Amino acid sequence: MTSDAPEATMPEPELEATARIASELIRFDTSNFGEGRSNGEADAAEYVEAKLRALGLVPQMFESEPGRVSVVARVAGRNLDKPALVVHGHTDVVPADPANWTVDPFGGEIRDGLLWGRGAVDMKNMDAMMLTALGDVIAEHGAPERDLVIGFFADEEAGGVLGAHHVVTEHPEVFDGATEAISEVGGYSITLGDRRAYLLQTGEKALMWLKIVATGTAGHGSHVLRDNAVTKVARAVARVGSQEWPVRLSGTTTAMVSEIARFLGVDPERTSPDEVALATGSASRFIHAALHTTANPTMLQAGYKHNVIPDSAEAFIDVRCLPGDEEAVLAELRELAGDDVELVMSHRDVGLETDFSGPLVDAVKDVLGRHDPGAPVLPYLLSGGTDNKALSTLGIAGYGFVPLQLPADIDFPAMFHGVDERVPLSSLAFGRRVLGDLLATY
C-alpha cells in the first residue's frame, strides 16, 4: 500500500485544494460491487490518513477485512462544554463502466469547470471538503469550536457492514461524547423558478435488500417443462416491479411537502404531495421517491448455458420504505411475489427521522445565510440511506449536509450512481467555505 495517488495526469498546480484532493481520491478505484466483492479502500485510506497526519492529528485505521479500511481521527475543540460532532464520508464508490462514460471514470479529470469521475458527487467531494475545511479551521482558529470525530468509512455502498457498522460495533469508544453527525446527502441547493433554496436531510428511509428465490426442475432447453425456476422468478419480479405504491407521509415528509409548497406559493391542502414534489424539477428524483415505498428489481441470476433449464433462479430487490413500515411492506411483497418463490433478506437497516429544529439546524441556517443571503433551508427525507444509520445505534442524530451551491441547469440527483458523474469546481470551493465556517463556529 502507498499513500501516493495512482499515476495519472496531475491537475493544474493552481487548482483549488478541494478539487485537487477530490481528483486524487477519484483516481483510487475503490469500486464496491457488493456481495463481498470490492476493490477495497486501503490505498485511499492511507492517502486520507497521511492528509490527517499532516494536519497534526493522530488518525486510527480500522481494517474489518483485508483491504477494507476505515479512518477515524479525533480533533480537540476549543469548547469542552459542547458535545462532539461526527463529520463523516465514505471512500468506496459504486462501479462504473468506462464504455458508457465521456471521460475515464477514474481519471479525476477537470473539464469545462467541473470535476468528472466516479465519486465526484458520491462522495469523494465531501471527503475532500472535510480535509480542506478542517485544515482551514486549524490554521485560522487553532481548533474547531467543539470536538470533532472525523470519519472516512469503507463499504457504505454495500450497507456499511465492513465500514461504519464495523467501527461502531467494534470500536464505539472513538465516538465518545458525540451526539450529532453530518454527512451525505443534503446541503446542496435546488432552484425553484428563479429562486435558490438548500435541502437539509433530516431523515432517511429504512433499507431492505431482498432476494426472490425460485427453485424448479433442471432439464434440456427443448423439453416441455412447466416447473421452470426462471419463469417463476420472472412472474414474481414483474408483479413486484410494477406495483404502484401509494403516498405515505411521515413527520419529516409532511414538513418537507409543507415547506416546499410554501416556498412555491401553492396550497398544500389543494395540491397533492406528488404534485408538490414533481414541481421541484430535477430535485424531484429524490423528493418524489421519499413519498412512496420503492421496491426496484436490480439484478437477475440464473442458469449457465443456453440449452439448459436451471433448477434455481434469483432476483435482487432494493426496497426502501418509511421507518416503521418495514413489516407491512414485507407482507405485501410476499403476497405480490407469490407462493412459488421465497423472499430472503440479504441486508436490512433502520430508517431515521430527526426534527427540523435545534441548535445544529439553526447553525446550518445561519452559516448558509452568511454565504448565500436570503436562500431558505428546507427539510427533506432521503430516499436512500447513509452511514448515519450505523451511528444512530449509538444515539447519534444524523443529518445530511454537504454544502454545495449548484447552477440551476445541473441535474444533481442524477449524478448519484449515474454516468458522467461530475460537480462544478465553484461548488467545491463554496462547500469548503461553508463547512469550515460551520466547524469553526458550531
Side-chain angles (χ1 to χ4, degrees):
M1 294 188 297
T2 176
S3 60
D4 294 329
E7 289 187 7
T9 302
M10 292 298 292
E12 293 298 322
E14 66 270 23
L15 195 63
E16 188 269 333
T18 311
R20 185 176 67 252
I21 292 171
S23 173
E24 291 171 354
L25 283 169
I26 287 169
R27 282 185 255 127
F28 295 103
D29 181 353
T30 52
S31 295
N32 188 346
F33 300 88
E35 297 286 299
R37 296 189 303 118
S38 171
N39 290 345
E41 302 88 353
D43 288 342
E46 285 215 344
Y47 173 90
V48 167
E49 193 258 4
K51 293 290 186 184
L52 292 169
R53 285 193 180 278
L55 295 176
L57 305 176
V58 184
Q60 296 175 271
M61 301 179 74
F62 303 102
E63 188 170 37
S64 56
E65 288 185 357
R68 312 308 304 278
V69 183
S70 299
V71 184
V72 180
R74 189 91 182 198
V75 188
R78 303 189 303 271
N79 191 333
L80 300 181
D81 295 328
K82 291 185 175 182
L85 174 70
V86 183
V87 185
H88 62 100
H90 61 84
T91 55
D92 64 323
V93 296
V94 296
D97 183 354
N100 298 328
W101 283 59
T102 304
V103 301
D104 176 1
F106 299 103
E109 183 172 334
I110 306 297
R111 180 187 294 191
D112 303 325
L114 300 106
L115 170 63
W116 297 62
R118 179 60 86 214
V121 166
D122 187 9
M123 66 172 298
K124 291 176 177 178
N125 60 343
M126 176 61 163
D127 295 337
M129 287 159 52
M130 289 162 55
L131 291 169
T132 54
L134 182 59
D136 292 342
V137 171
I138 292 172
E140 296 172 20
H141 305 278
E145 170 64 14
R146 64 179 67 211
D147 278 13
L148 302 177
V149 180
I150 304 295
F152 299 86
F153 296 123
D155 197 42
E156 191 275 344
E157 296 293 359
V161 173
L162 300 176
H165 277 290
H166 170 79
V167 179
V168 163
T169 302
E170 300 297 327
H171 306 279
E173 69 282 355
V174 303
F175 304 103
D176 283 352
T179 58
E180 297 169 314
I182 57 173
S183 185
E184 58 179 355
V185 175
Y188 62 91
S189 69
I190 61 174
T191 303
L192 305 176
D194 59 353
R195 300 174 61 201
R196 187 165 53 236
Y198 291 85
L199 295 177
L200 176 64
Q201 177 193 320
T202 57
E204 56 189 65
K205 283 184 171 181
L207 163 66
M208 294 184 288
W209 284 341
L210 304 174
K211 291 181 183 179
I212 297 176
V213 180
T215 57
T217 303
H220 197 287
S222 68
H223 291 176
V224 176
L225 190 59
R226 303 303 181 197
D227 187 32
N228 188 312
V230 175
T231 304
K232 293 175 185 178
V233 161
R235 284 196 295 256
V237 167
R239 289 191 295 265
V240 169
S242 59
Q243 172 72 355
E244 295 287 342
W245 298 89
V247 169
R248 284 277 293 142
L249 296 178
S250 67
T252 302
T253 52
T254 297
M256 176 181 73
V257 170
S258 176
E259 288 294 314
I260 293 172
R262 184 173 62 83
F263 185 83
L264 293 171
V266 300
D267 184 353
E269 299 297 323
R270 296 176 178 272
T271 308
S272 73
D274 278 339
E275 290 176 302
V276 172
L278 292 172
T280 61
S282 64
S284 67
R285 195 182 297 265
F286 281 156
I287 294 172
H288 183 242
L291 306 180
H292 299 262
T293 294
T294 57
N296 288 312
T298 55
M299 292 192 294
L300 296 168
Q301 289 183 353
Y304 55 88
K305 197 171 187 298
H306 205 139
N307 62 347
V308 178
I309 299 170
D311 60 4
S312 65
E314 296 180 343
F316 294 67
I317 312 295
D318 186 345
V319 182
R320 315 292 177 120
C321 63
L322 287 179
D325 282 2
E326 294 95 319
E327 295 306 318
V329 168
L330 273 175
E332 187 162 354
L333 287 170
R334 289 191 183 99
E335 184 175 345
L336 286 168
D339 295 333
D340 56 354
V341 299
E342 181 184 5
L343 254 61
V344 177
M345 185 74 68
S346 297
H347 179 70
R348 182 172 180 172
D349 214 335
V350 297
L352 306 173
E353 289 194 90
T354 305
D355 289 340
F356 186 60
S357 62
L360 179 55
V361 173
D362 291 341
V364 165
K365 291 179 179 178
D366 288 344
V367 72
L368 283 171
R370 288 195 289 273
H371 292 268
D372 193 354
V377 179
L378 311 177
Y380 93 112
L381 183 137
L382 178 68
S383 57
T386 75
D387 281 330
N388 279 329
K389 293 181 184 298
L391 296 175
S392 73
T393 64
L394 299 177
I396 297 172
Y399 298 82
F401 185 63
V402 178
L404 297 169
Q405 187 182 95
L406 299 166
D409 60 353
I410 191 169
D411 187 355
F412 189 67
M415 301 298 171
F416 288 83
H417 300 189
V419 172
D420 285 344
E421 188 178 340
R422 58 199 183 275
V423 64
L425 302 183
S426 60
S427 300
L428 296 175
F430 175 85
R432 172 185 181 175
R433 295 192 299 271
V434 173
L435 184 60
D437 193 352
L438 180 71
L439 300 184
T441 58
Y442 175 62

